């Protein structure tokens, strides 16, 4: 019954998997030395049976925890029923998921794709087409320094990080970067070419930078005054991560277009672009499309994931506060901790040195954390996290820090 599954997992060992990865996979990822093969709730297990407490959640994908029984059950049932047809036909789980997301977000329509980058591609295309139809700018899109929007040619151009763009020219035209949380800089850079402003309410890859309340309010007002389209990339900070379903709810602000992916599918790949009606209308039949986007299996999994997250928001808020306070207490102990910042369970700890070694030492101890932008330890635990997990993680981090202090 499980012939191919057995074939995949038959006779595997750490060494041969790592070797064959080196032979058969393109070298885009600097992998940590671990082969994870199982997950359950807050924990994952490697090929040698060692358990890890997961405070990264696949970079904010496993928000409902690993292999959540309701997600597993929904995927199984949908897989047995219908995996894929085509967007040429009506798709039941797609309609149900769209309705749910529209009701939760207060936006009007959804377009489904397969990833965050694709969700942003759709947002950019939609904003430009709407702008063209309504004489708003000339297609130029302003994005933020330290932002991240994906790795397709266009989204990597929207991402103001030269390292990610190196060697890929010629890049698409029409992007301009300004400092984040600086309303004056934004105003100065708006011209009659500007069609849209795109930003993450909480920047993830850039090092967990939270938008100031006044700033985001100012950006919204600016867009209201000028008809410029406001796009929020909530691929990382959405789906309950900040203690609200969408990060912008913390600000009582609604964008014109919002993009989602990562935790949306509960681990299954799916992206979504939500928009206000008048903007969504710029996508007419044939204007955009994808083969897999919104397929039955992905949408069923996402429907389950979103429904579970609805009941995890309060925990995310409470645990986010508890966790942040505990990390701030560590900051008082170690002078090399420069800042602890975040919103809900999206938490960063900025160090005065590269955090790569800390991540490796934590891995050896059985904890998954991450370092982004060189010096920022990033914590994105599943939203099911409890105090006891946080206590354990913070104690382990304390140990690693104090060992390091001794060795200096
Ligand atoms: C991860 C991420 C993306 C890209 O998503 P992919 O699924 O990797 O294409 C885009 N925007 C933000 C804010 C992200 O964190």
């Amino acid at each position: 019954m499980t012939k191919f599954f057995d074939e995949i997992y038959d006779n595997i060992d750490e060494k041969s998997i790592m070797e064959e990865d080196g032979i058969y996979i393109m070298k885009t990822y600097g992998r940590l030395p671990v082969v994870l093969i199982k997950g359950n709730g807050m924990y994952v297990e490697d090929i040698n049976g060692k358990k890890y407490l997961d405070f990264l959640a696949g970079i904010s994908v496993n928000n409902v925890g690993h292999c959540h029984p309701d997600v597993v059950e929904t995927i199984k049932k949908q897989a047995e029923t219908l995996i894929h047809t085509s967007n040429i036909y009506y798709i039941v789980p797609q309609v149900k998921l769209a309705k749910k997301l529209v009701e939760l977000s207060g936006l009007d329509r959804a377009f489904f794709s397969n990833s965050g980058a694709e969700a942003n591609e759709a947002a950019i295309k939609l904003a430009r087409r709407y702008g063209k139809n309504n004489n708003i700018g000339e297609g130029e899109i302003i994005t933020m320094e330290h932002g991240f929007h994906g790795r397709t040619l266009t989204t990597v151009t929207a991402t103001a990080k030269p390292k990610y763009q190196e060697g890929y020219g010629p890049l698409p035209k029409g992007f301009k970067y300004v400092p984040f949380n600086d309303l004056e800089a934004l105003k100065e850079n708006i011209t009659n070419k500007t069609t849209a402003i795109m930003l993450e309410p909480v920047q993830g890859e850039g090092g967990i930078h939270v938008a100031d309340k006044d700033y985001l309010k100012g950006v919204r007002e600016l867009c209201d005054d000028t008809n410029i389209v406001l796009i929020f990339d909530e691929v990382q900070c959405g789906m309950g991560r900040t203690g609200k379903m969408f990060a912008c709810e913390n600000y009582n602000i609604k964008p014109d277009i919002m993009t989602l992916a990562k935790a949306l599918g509960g681990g299954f790949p799916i992206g979504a672009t939500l928009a206000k009606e008048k903007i969504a209308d710029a996508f007419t039949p044939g204007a955009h499309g994808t083969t897999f986007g919104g397929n039955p299996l992905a949408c069923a999994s996402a429907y389950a994931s979103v429904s579970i997250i609805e009941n995890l928001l309060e925990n995310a808020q409470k645990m986010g506060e508890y966790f942040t306070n505990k990390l701030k207490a560590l900051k008082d102990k170690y002078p090399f901790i420069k800042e602890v910042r975040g919103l809900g369970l999206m938490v960063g700890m900025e160090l005065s040195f590269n955090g790569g070694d800390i991540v490796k030492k934590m891995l050896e101890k059985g904890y998954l954390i991450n370092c982004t932008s060189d010096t920022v330890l990033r914590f994105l635990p599943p939203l099911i996290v409890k105090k006891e997990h946080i206590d354990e993680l913070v104690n382990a981090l304390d140990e690693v820090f104090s060992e390091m202090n001794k060795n200096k």
Side-chain angles (χ1 to χ4, degrees):
M1 291 302 276
T2 55
K3 190 170 79 168
F4 298 122
F5 186 88
D6 291 347
E7 215 172 283
I8 291 167
Y9 284 95
D10 194 33
N11 250 325
I12 51 166
D13 64 86
E14 187 175 84
K15 191 162 165 277
S16 67
I17 291 294
M18 287 179 179
E19 270 171 20
E20 291 189 352
D21 179 287
I23 296 168
Y24 297 114
I25 309 280
M26 292 198 194
K27 299 186 187 300
T28 51
Y29 307 108
R31 304 218 200 260
L32 288 165
V34 61
V35 182
L36 301 171
I37 57 167
K38 280 186 197 170
N40 186 358
M42 286 295 299
Y43 293 90
V44 287
E45 195 178 311
D46 75 12
I47 196 165
N48 304 315
K50 180 176 167 184
K51 275 196 172 184
Y52 301 81
L53 183 60
D54 188 0
F55 266 60
L56 183 58
I59 315 188
S60 201
V61 168
N62 306 102
N63 285 14
V64 300
H66 290 274
C67 298
H68 190 291
D70 293 330
V71 171
V72 171
E73 195 58 43
T74 307
I75 289 177
K76 270 189 182 169
K77 195 87 198 220
Q78 184 62 53
E80 284 167 358
T81 309
L82 182 70
I83 296 178
H84 182 84
T85 52
S86 164
N87 278 311
I88 295 169
Y89 312 107
Y90 290 94
I91 297 171
V92 175
Q94 189 180 119
V95 174
K96 301 283 178 174
L97 175 62
K99 187 172 176 210
K100 200 180 238 315
L101 290 175
V102 160
E103 282 168 5
L104 285 167
S105 67
L107 295 171
D108 301 312
R109 286 177 187 275
F111 175 84
F112 291 109
S113 52
N114 311 289
S115 66
E118 276 180 83
N120 286 333
E121 283 273 346
I124 291 163
K125 285 177 79 176
L126 180 61
R128 283 187 172 166
R129 208 169 150 99
Y130 170 75
K132 184 114 190 149
N133 293 346
N134 294 277
N135 288 314
I136 303 165
E138 293 172 18
E140 187 175 87
I141 302 188
I142 298 179
T143 65
M144 303 300 146
E145 289 171 10
H146 302 294
F148 182 81
H149 302 295
R151 301 288 203 139
T152 62
L153 262 182
T154 299
T155 56
V156 90
T157 307
T159 300
K161 187 161 171 166
K163 195 181 124 193
Y164 290 166
Q165 301 172 351
E166 217 175 275
Y168 297 130
L171 297 171
K173 287 185 213 150
F175 289 91
K176 190 149 110 181
Y177 317 123
V178 301
F180 187 53
N181 265 337
D182 185 342
L183 195 59
E184 286 316 305
L186 181 61
K187 281 180 181 163
E188 278 166 24
N189 278 282
I190 285 174
T191 66
N192 54 9
K193 291 189 177 148
T194 312
T195 298
I197 295 165
M198 176 155 137
L199 63 88
E200 300 154 82
V202 184
Q203 294 185 324
E205 302 304 302
I208 314 292
H209 297 287
V210 184
D212 296 333
K213 286 230 153 81
D214 289 346
Y215 170 72
L216 217 54
K217 202 166 147 259
V219 177
R220 179 65 273 180
E221 282 166 9
L222 190 61
C223 290
D224 287 339
D225 293 345
T226 54
N227 289 325
I228 289 170
V229 179
L230 182 56
I231 306 170
F232 283 172
D233 177 345
E234 293 226 9
V235 169
Q236 190 164 148
C237 62
M239 308 322 297
R241 179 49 56 194
T242 65
K244 302 275 187 195
M245 183 58 79
F246 307 111
C248 58
E249 291 174 60
N250 292 291
Y251 300 83
N252 288 316
I253 286 168
K254 237 179 4 184
D256 302 307
I257 303 178
M258 175 160 65
T259 59
L260 304 169
K262 288 204 163 87
L264 176 59
F268 204 93
I270 180 169
T273 307
L274 308 177
K276 289 181 180 165
E277 179 92 46
K278 62 171 185 183
I279 295 172
D281 282 347
F283 271 172
T284 47
H288 192 45
T290 152
T291 299
F292 290 122
N295 106 343
L297 193 52
C299 287
S301 183
Y303 187 92
S305 166
V306 178
S307 308
I308 298 161
I309 291 171
E310 282 182 81
N311 292 311
L312 293 174
L313 300 176
E314 202 188 314
N315 188 62
Q317 261 169 44
K318 282 189 184 150
M319 290 303 109
E321 213 180 292
Y322 181 74
F323 186 29
T324 305
N325 285 335
K326 290 212 83 166
L327 291 178
K328 281 185 175 159
L330 277 190
K331 178 177 179 285
D332 296 336
K333 208 167 153 185
Y334 300 104
F336 55 76
I337 301 175
K338 284 167 74 177
E339 195 180 20
V340 173
R341 54 181 182 249
L343 195 59
L345 283 171
M346 189 165 183
V347 188
M349 175 186 264
E350 185 161 355
L351 306 174
S352 60
F353 52 85
N354 189 303
D357 280 347
I358 305 287
V359 172
K360 279 187 194 134
K361 285 190 181 125
M362 287 296 281
L363 182 74
E364 282 165 24
K365 281 182 182 287
Y367 300 90
L368 304 188
I369 64 167
N370 172 253
C371 176
T372 189
S373 285
D374 300 331
T375 55
V376 182
L377 296 182
R378 175 169 50 170
F379 307 93
L380 303 163
L383 311 181
I384 57 170
V385 69
K386 293 195 175 115
K387 275 187 182 174
E388 64 213 55
H389 303 124
I390 292 171
D391 293 345
E392 198 191 318
L393 185 284
V394 173
N395 284 341
L397 198 59
D398 194 358
E399 262 176 50
V400 168
F401 283 159
S402 70
E403 282 162 19
M404 221 185 55
N405 250 4
K406 267 182 233 147
N407 295 339
K408 266 188 179 163

